[in-house]
Amino acid sequence: GESVGLHLPTLSVQEGDNSIINCAYSNSASDYFIWYKQESGKGPQFIIDIRSNMDKRQGQRVTVLLNKTVKHLSLQIAATQPGDSAVYFCAENPRVGAQKLVFGQGTRLTINP
Amino acid sequence: SQTIHQWPATLVQPVGSPLSLECTVEGTSNPNLYWYRQAAGRGLQLLFYSVGIGQISSEVPQNLSASRPQDRQFILSSKKLLLSDSGFYLCAWRWDANEKLFFGSGTQLSVL
């Protein structure tokens, strides 16, 4: 379920390194997953999505991996840049036809120069 | 292309005053519409969603209400604001279930 009351976990990486942000989900019926990036004071921005019939999907500098066996989703960002500093949220569609997405608690990514 | 407009960007209101936040979507018809609230440094809390004109589903019983008077217009209201209503309010839309959400730019509400 939604974890709106928890403080955000933080991930710090060196500029130029790869970042991996993880998300666990609990609903085996979830069929669609989305990653969002939220910069300070702005609304969340769509990054990449993946349907449950896929294990991997690549975008520009980003890759999403889905492991349905262990109910795990990850976002990989290649060659992290200062502009990647933000809070990253995963979201899942808990079942076909669900009217609401379920959001993870978010992870704050900090880039060290 | 589709765009979502949300205003105002910031709002400072005294306790006990009314509230009206408006959200409109352009470039699509019959979108699913959502209101979220986000406390500083926290996750997204779904407040209301609507799948059609006049259809409102409330997720959290509270001091707020929502209305959808037109297909692409979603309004968040309160008759008397509380201190605890402070937060970052986000409107979002999507074409249908099983699709991604598109968020507006948000309204930072401070109740003093």
Side-chain angles (χ1 to χ4, degrees):
Chain A
E2 295 174 357
S3 302
V4 297
L6 301 177
H7 282 288
L8 300 174
T10 300
L11 174 67
S12 294
V13 298
Q14 289 295 123
E15 184 177 349
D17 287 353
N18 297 334
S19 301
I20 300 176
I21 301 171
N22 296 303
C23 191
Y25 65 95
S26 57
N27 188 350
S28 57
S30 294
D31 66 326
Y32 176 52
F33 304 86
I34 312 160
W35 280 102
Y36 288 92
K37 172 186 179 183
Q38 186 178 25
E39 296 176 275
S40 181
K42 299 183 178 179
Q45 251 185 317
F46 167 80
I47 303 173
I48 192 167
D49 57 1
I50 188 167
R51 302 277 174 188
S52 58
N53 60 351
M54 300 175 69
D55 297 323
K56 179 180 179 179
R57 192 160 187 227
Q58 287 183 290
Q60 187 177 13
R61 276 201 312 119
V62 294
T63 300
V64 55
L65 297 177
L66 176 62
N67 185 330
K68 295 180 284 293
T69 302
V70 295
K71 300 190 188 71
H72 184 266
L73 185 73
S74 68
L75 176 71
Q76 299 177 2
I77 305 174
T80 313
Q81 303 169 358
D84 295 328
S85 291
V87 175
Y88 290 81
F89 290 98
C90 63
E92 63 181 293
N93 197 59
R95 57 177 173 79
V96 176
Q99 293 297 346
K100 304 171 284 185
L101 294 176
V102 176
F103 281 86
Q105 65 181 114
T107 297
R108 184 178 302 281
L109 178 64
T110 303
I111 312 303
N112 301 318
Chain B
S1 63
Q2 299 78 31
T3 54
I4 179 169
H5 300 281
Q6 190 180 343
W7 66 93
T10 58
L11 189 59
V12 180
Q13 292 285 101
V15 170
S17 64
L19 172 74
S20 181
L21 300 181
E22 188 165 342
C23 172
T24 60
V25 180
E26 294 180 356
T28 187
S29 59
N30 198 32
N32 289 358
L33 297 170
Y34 301 80
W35 278 111
Y36 286 85
R37 177 170 61 197
Q38 188 176 33
R42 308 281 185 163
L44 297 164
Q45 181 186 33
L46 178 62
L47 302 176
F48 301 95
Y49 70 93
S50 171
V51 298
I53 296 174
Q55 300 179 57
I56 307 295
S57 295
S58 174
E59 288 297 297
V60 183
Q62 57 204 320
N63 188 41
L64 302 169
S65 62
S67 61
R68 184 171 178 174
Q70 300 181 44
D71 181 42
R72 290 170 291 171
Q73 184 185 31
F74 205 23
I75 298 172
L76 183 69
S77 304
S78 173
K79 292 182 179 177
K80 287 186 178 182
L81 283 168
L82 306 172
L83 287 174
S84 57
D85 292 323
S86 294
F88 191 49
Y89 288 82
L90 289 156
C91 182
W93 76 274
R94 62 179 181 173
W95 276 290
D96 203 351
N98 311 322
E99 294 295 332
K100 64 177 82 63
L101 279 172
F102 297 95
F103 286 87
S105 52
T107 295
Q108 183 64 54
L109 172 66
S110 298
V111 183
L112 305 177

